[in-house]
Amino acid sequence: MNDSSQLDELLASRASDSRRQIEPCTVVIFGASGDLTSRKLIPALYHLALEGALPTPYRIIGFARREKTDESFRAELRTALDQFSRTKPVQPEVWKSFSANLFYCQADISDPAGYEKLGALIRSSEHEKLRQNLLFYLATNPSQFGEIATRLSAANLLHKEEDGHLPERLVVEKPFGHDLQSARELNAELVRHAHERQIFRIDHYLGKETVQNILTFRFSNGIFERLWNRETIDHVQITVAEKIGVGSRGGYYEESGAMRDMVQNHVLQVLSLVAMEPPVSLEAEAVRDEKVKLLKSIRPLGSADLARNVVRGQYFAGEIDGEARPAYRSEPKVNSKSNVETFVAMKLFIDNWRWSGVPFYIRTGKNLPVSASEVRIQFKQAPNILFAAKSAIPLDQNSITLRLQPNEGITLRFNGKVPGAAIQLRPVRMQFSYDNEFGAYTPEAYERLLLEAIAGDATLFIRRDEVETAWGIVDSIRSYWADRPLTNREFYLAGTWGPTGADELLTNDGREWRNPSPQK
Ligand code: BG6
């Protein structure tokens, strides 16, 4: 098969998958004047329109307080698209038909009259499905989620469905609560007005192609599936590193810290996909059941573990790629004595049959040397005989690295003989790169997530028990930190791999972090 027919085959299978029946739908975005709408949601919806993936017909209604007309709303979004669209230039014909489906509803979230106005706008459509099949996307401050659901319900726009039929759905952005208690309260508030099946909690990591590929890689390949357990795996490293600091988000970050911002959601989601048992099917509930089971088998951290196995850090002024970075405490809207963590590393154990005794080291942070997310499966050493016994330095352990971003792909690392008369070994790599294999096809996570929500498929969204279990893990750590100010050892220079404690977490176990490489 030549390259182009191979590519055709791949494209064809993708197209047939995405050609499932999606009903005409009205998408209402609350918080339509915000950043998320112009940076992510509208560019994602525009690309879905460009690919012909949206249902026919569809309607998008922006709901926000600022004074705007349909025309000025469209004009603003057109300008934003020029900046944030992942493909450029914006196609005039596609924009023309896309923008004709965009409407604006100027109203205050806490004003019942606004919901009457929204209802009238929805009912003004001639198409029956557009009046019934409603997706409410809550891109607002999380403190408003409950109120919006309550008011939608009072205005007869949201009905709790008990029979599995779900014409109305709520999509909620993170953060979903700020601890277990608040997440429970928010869940209780939402489920008063909508069934759990109607609630789609977003974690944009689940929309990433490479994150979805974790399950494909694990459960469709006989060779790797057999190796995925305590018999062969020495330990697992998950790194979600960011080169950026908190920038203008200091106000938000002071409330969240790395633990709430990244660990509670993205990092624990990646961990659960890497470690979960095979689901009985690919149905949403089967996959989510396994993820919850996995999160529940993470060993609770007692106070000795909290002191020994969890490391936090905060960045101090430094330099990245020749650019000076301020200390976290000097960032705008950050308390100059803040104890908020911008880095977390920890060692977790999963107390189930498959993973008993295998440490999972996870870390995430801001102002690190590179932006990269990777999962590294480090295999056990070969027996210390033959080549290993003869080698002056220990042989490299085999590993599989799942590169989630950037340079998306998978690397298998093993030892090879250096050509020549002497017996000399060194690690070599086998690489799979998304770009080389599939071309530069990198849809934004939001495209996939919006399409799934429109289609009513909840597989890539977080279920109630999942979010609550994750908060339980994070809360135990945060409360341990609460009355412990940062010590000198917990600061790290911007542009380094975190505080020294993060390295010690592994060196104490005779292991070391494998840092993602900055170049391709
Ligand atoms: C967001 C966090 O959820 O994820 C940000 O709030 C973080 O702080 C971002 O920068 C990282 O996402 P990505 O897709 O760039 O890895």
Side-chain angles (χ1 to χ4, degrees), residues 291-346:
K291 282 164 62 193
V292 174
K293 250 165 69 185
L294 189 282
L295 290 175
K296 289 194 168 153
S297 23
I298 294 179
R299 186 183 300 167
L301 297 158
S303 49
D305 304 313
L306 287 163
R308 224 181 13 232
N309 295 346
V310 184
V311 174
R312 66 180 165 172
Q314 188 189 89
Y315 61 81
F316 197 68
E319 205 176 83
I320 300 183
D321 298 340
E323 188 195 301
R325 298 291 174 95
Y328 175 71
R329 288 179 174 180
S330 313
E331 298 275 19
K333 303 202 190 116
V334 170
N335 180 335
S336 58
K337 296 200 174 83
S338 174
N339 282 311
V340 165
E341 76 290 352
T342 60
F343 178 97
V344 177
M346 51 191 181

Side-chain angles (χ1 to χ4, degrees), residues 40 173-174 203-205 208 240-242 244-246 249 252-253 256 261-262 265-266 366 373 405 445-446:
K40 297 285 183 192
E173 266 296 331
K174 79 164 246 252
D203 182 319
H204 79 279
Y205 264 56
K208 289 183 192 267
V240 179
E242 294 188 280
I244 52 167
V246 299
R249 297 169 75 220
Y252 155 78
Y253 206 82
S256 73
D261 187 46
M262 298 295 286
N265 34 74
H266 312 324
K366 299 231 184 253
S373 302
Q405 61 186 25
Y446 276 97

Side-chain angles (χ1 to χ4, degrees), residues 412-442:
L412 175 64
R413 194 174 151 111
F414 50 97
N415 294 305
K417 180 179 172 309
V418 179
I423 302 227
Q424 200 191 336
L425 275 73
R426 82 159 167 76
V428 294
R429 294 182 187 85
M430 274 167 72
Q431 304 256 23
F432 151 65
S433 141
Y434 273 82
D435 270 11
N436 292 347
E437 194 74 19
F438 299 112
Y441 168 72
T442 44

Side-chain angles (χ1 to χ4, degrees), residues 154-218:
N156 222 9
L157 290 168
L158 176 64
H159 305 89
K160 185 163 177 164
E161 299 294 335
E162 298 293 351
D163 60 359
H165 179 62
L166 41 136
E168 295 136 19
R169 276 145 284 148
L170 288 175
V171 181
V172 282
E173 266 296 331
K174 79 164 246 252
F176 195 87
H178 50 88
D179 56 12
L180 176 57
Q181 181 59 26
S182 58
R184 278 193 179 138
E185 283 163 15
L186 179 53
N187 276 324
E189 204 167 355
L190 293 185
V191 297
R192 263 204 298 277
H193 308 293
H195 191 279
E196 172 62 26
R197 282 186 299 261
Q198 296 171 270
I199 304 172
F200 290 65
R201 298 177 193 79
I202 289 240
D203 182 319
H204 79 279
Y205 264 56
L206 295 183
K208 289 183 192 267
E209 201 66 40
T210 44
V211 174
Q212 288 168 35
N213 194 43
I214 296 174
L215 291 192
T216 318
F217 179 75
R218 288 191 53 201

